[in-house]
Amino acid sequence: DAGITQSPRHKVTETGTPVTLRCHQTENHRYMYWYRQDPGHGLRLIHYSYGVKDTDKGEVSDGYSVSRSKTEDFLLTLESATSSQTSVYFCATTGTENTGELFFGEGSRLTVL
Amino acid sequence: AQSVSQHNHHVILSEAASLELGCNYSYGGTVNLFWYVQYPGQHLQLLLKYFSGDPLVKGIKGFEAEFIKSKFSFNLRKPSVQWSDTAEYFCAVKAASTGANSKLTFGKGITLSVRP
């Protein structure tokens, strides 16, 4: 394992509230990713980071923002949560080689009522 | 941009049956190919990978996959499944370049249920 921890692991919130999910890694990996997993859609990339303060959008970035102020932490923020953002969120990392071999966190299950 | 197609959504097998899960990708250049597995209630973990060389790659737990470049395919196989292989399986592809914009693309996944 690449020493990836996500918090919180479970969260229930109401529509319109802000939510922040945290991903912390201890491997000094350069690349970090946020995916969401939904039945029938597989994993879809939300945002990714290729270094401190270097981030970019994935395929489903609307309604999400990210920040990476330290190598080890990658935060995903839902500014105003909607029911369509109910999902399981996975953080993943990979090293400088960026081969595509990802190491995943345990996931954060978010329910927006 | 690359894309991945996994043909079956749910496969049901009995123990000891042989398994083949299909995966096709679309991308015109050199690719790195992966199969990830997600056991119930767990996160994804790497099953096997192909970067170059022998197109038949072996992974953990007796799985193997064959890269057929002419067919843009990377099918997963196992000669005899076990109940513990019940999981969701994801094929993934990435352009072989290592730039920051070169990202992994996943298929939608195949759920494998193995009956004891």
Side-chain angles (χ1 to χ4, degrees), chain A:
Chain A
D1 287 342
I4 302 170
T5 55
Q6 294 184 226
S7 59
R9 295 289 313 281
H10 302 272
K11 185 172 182 66
V12 179
T13 192
E14 294 187 348
T15 298
T17 60
V19 175
T20 295
L21 305 179
R22 179 178 183 243
C23 177
H24 178 79
Q25 55 121 342
T26 59
E27 298 296 315
N28 201 36
H29 281 170
R30 176 183 175 188
Y31 295 91
M32 298 184 75
Y33 305 85
W34 277 108
Y35 288 90
R36 60 177 290 175
Q37 184 178 23
D38 305 285
H41 292 277
L43 275 84
R44 292 180 291 175
L45 182 63
I46 304 171
H47 281 280
Y48 66 102
S49 169
Y50 45 96
V52 173
K53 298 192 190 312
D54 291 323
T55 65
D56 206 348
K57 296 178 180 180
E59 61 181 298
V60 290
S61 59
D62 286 349
Y64 302 95
S65 63
V66 290
S67 65
R68 192 169 178 199
S69 58
K70 298 184 290 185
T71 298
E72 57 266 35
D73 290 326
F74 191 33
L75 304 181
L76 176 70
T77 297
L78 292 66
E79 300 290 348
S80 177
T82 67
S83 59
S84 65
Q85 294 175 311
T86 293
S87 185
V88 180
Y89 293 86
F90 286 98
C91 175
T93 73
T94 192
T96 303
E97 297 76 20
N98 193 19
T99 61
E101 181 173 350
L102 299 185
F103 301 91
F104 284 85
E106 299 288 335
S108 296
R109 182 176 294 275
L110 175 66
T111 301
V112 183
L113 301 176

Side-chain angles (χ1 to χ4, degrees), chain B residues 76-89:
Chain B
L76 181 71
R77 300 195 293 250
K78 186 172 184 179
S80 177
V81 296
Q82 300 173 318
W83 177 78
S84 59
D85 294 323
T86 293
E88 192 160 10
Y89 293 81

